[in-house]
Amino acid sequence: MGGPGDPPEGVPEGAPGGGEDEYRSVVFDESFVRAARLQESSARERMTDHAPAVRRRPALRRGGLSRQALILVLLIAVAFGAAIYMGVRHPYQAPATAEHPEPLRMTVIPLAPGDPVPGAADTETLFAHSKAADFRTGADGITLPASRRTAHFSDSQVVSALTTAKDYLVESSLDPEVLSGGPVRSVRILLDPQQLDQFDQSFDQPAADGRHAATGWLVRFDPAKAQLADPQIRVQGTMNAVETDSGTLEVTSDHTFVYALRPAGADSDEKASLFTVRRELQFRFDRDDLRMHQAELVVSYVQAGPLSCSVDSASRLQPLLAGQTAKAGGPATGTDPFATDSAASLCGTLAPGAQPSL
């Protein structure tokens, strides 16, 4: 039999005999077992005593988002303040004015010939023997001056004012439909909207009252009396732009237009004659007008002939044609529409030099 510590079957074959086991002398008493009991570390102990398996991202610091928002607000405030400063200090800006455009003040002066109106079948001959021989034709005769910025308006704004004034002159003095008494919309759309009532009344109820003559706004002939004999209208004149105050540009124009006319319905074999219109216009532009490509027409001074002083010229011009003479009762003083001085009366005599020397 085996000893007390041997298994029931005895010591296995090949194993050291009883009492020879090297661990037989090791005895674990109860106190040792209790002392050697395994204890699992707490989560805090594991975090303290052991390196983490992965690197942790640093936690966001409190207040970071608030500082970013504060910086953004400050940037917006700075940009807004700069915009206000530039708006106040920019040399081309000025407070908008609430003034209404003035009514157009107009003067239309008929010029009556002292002799029969000269005529020729060839319009080139008429122009060649007149003071308009060296004039340009059509819109080419309305040239823009060299423009410079002013204290409160840029170069482009000055050019815009001059261009709008030229467009008005072209539409109101050179458009064949307008000249023949046709639609006037092309002229109307170039005016400040607050002048449209006066414009419309001038065509609905024309009157020679200095405010409501259709011929103060544009050139148009009585289609029952005359027609264009040559579409190449001769033009010469000047334009100028100045700043009148911080919110207003003013353009003045002075142009002479020479038309070749024949009786209404006449063929090219019938004699033509020349008709001269001198227009001195004053335009005014605020910033809204410049932006909208519109103008305030404030002064219109017109001399036109040959006409009879006794004929009403408020609605349409009724030219005296080749061979015709003015009715009696005209004034005694002569007026030349090619001259730079202005007529003083409401009717003048067309100077002999103003007609072709045929």
Side-chain angles (χ1 to χ4, degrees):
M1 290 183 62
D6 295 333
E9 296 83 1
V11 179
E13 268 187 275
E20 296 297 325
D21 188 353
E22 60 179 330
Y23 297 106
R24 187 176 296 276
S25 61
V26 179
V27 178
F28 298 97
D29 58 14
E30 184 178 355
S31 62
F32 177 83
V33 171
R34 289 178 180 176
R37 188 172 48 191
L38 294 176
Q39 293 184 356
E40 184 179 358
S41 299
S42 66
R44 181 175 297 278
E45 289 171 340
R46 289 197 301 271
M47 293 174 62
T48 304
D49 298 339
H50 303 280
V54 296
R55 178 180 291 179
R56 292 173 297 171
R57 187 174 59 184
L60 292 176
R61 293 177 296 177
R62 293 183 179 180
L65 183 59
S66 299
R67 283 195 294 272
Q68 291 178 1
L70 178 59
I71 293 173
L72 180 60
V73 170
L74 287 175
L75 290 175
I76 294 174
V78 171
F80 186 70
I84 294 177
Y85 177 80
M86 292 300 292
V88 173
R89 301 292 297 175
H90 198 280
Y92 302 143
Q93 297 296 328
T97 59
E99 298 180 359
H100 295 289
E102 297 180 8
L104 171 60
R105 305 187 306 275
M106 59 182 70
T107 304
V108 180
I109 300 178
L111 302 179
D115 298 315
V117 177
D122 181 16
T123 58
E124 290 296 331
T125 300
L126 284 173
F127 285 120
H129 289 81
S130 73
K131 291 185 177 181
D134 297 327
F135 286 12
R136 294 184 178 182
T137 59
D140 291 340
I142 306 175
T143 57
L144 300 184
S147 59
R148 294 182 178 178
R149 68 182 184 182
T150 65
H152 299 90
F153 291 90
S154 65
D155 289 331
S156 61
Q157 289 174 316
V158 174
V159 171
S160 177
L162 290 167
T163 301
T164 303
K166 176 176 179 176
D167 289 345
Y168 186 91
L169 286 166
V170 169
E171 297 298 335
S172 63
S173 308
L174 301 175
D175 185 345
E177 289 191 359
V178 173
L179 294 174
S180 61
V184 296
R185 182 180 180 278
S186 60
V187 179
R188 190 179 187 272
I189 61 176
L190 293 171
L191 291 170
D192 187 289
Q194 297 185 69
Q195 288 191 306
L196 296 183
D197 287 344
Q198 183 187 6
F199 181 86
D200 293 340
Q201 186 176 347
S202 299
F203 290 87
D204 295 338
Q205 297 176 333
D209 59 0
R211 288 289 188 273
H212 300 98
T215 50
W217 297 97
L218 48 80
V219 178
R220 70 171 180 173
F221 304 112
D222 186 346
K225 186 173 181 63
Q227 65 182 13
L228 285 175
D230 189 339
Q232 300 299 318
I233 300 163
R234 297 333 194 245
V235 186
Q236 181 171 284
T238 60
M239 298 180 70
N240 184 45
V242 297
E243 176 183 317
T244 57
D245 58 51
S246 61
T248 308
L249 279 174
E250 189 173 277
V251 173
T252 56
S253 65
D254 184 354
H255 290 83
T256 300
F257 301 85
V258 184
Y259 306 85
L261 302 176
R262 284 193 177 93
D267 56 33
S268 58
D269 294 333
E270 191 161 348
K271 286 186 177 182
S273 60
L274 298 185
F275 187 87
T276 304
V277 178
R278 180 180 175 189
R279 305 183 74 195
E280 299 174 62
L281 305 180
Q282 179 180 322
F283 302 89
R284 190 170 295 161
F285 300 86
D286 58 24
R287 297 185 189 280
D288 287 339
D289 293 325
L290 293 174
R291 186 176 66 255
M292 300 301 294
H293 193 63
Q294 296 171 336
E296 302 169 23
L297 182 58
V298 293
V299 176
S300 173
Y301 186 86
V302 179
Q303 302 174 52
L307 291 169
S308 289
C309 293
S310 58
V311 176
D312 182 14
S313 299
S315 175
R316 293 180 175 86
L317 301 175
Q318 302 183 45
L320 294 172
L321 302 175
Q324 296 180 339
T325 58
K327 296 181 179 180
T333 59
T335 302
D336 186 351
F338 293 90
T340 57
D341 57 341
S342 298
S345 62
L346 294 181
C347 188
T349 299
L350 189 63
Q355 294 278 56
S357 56
L358 297 174

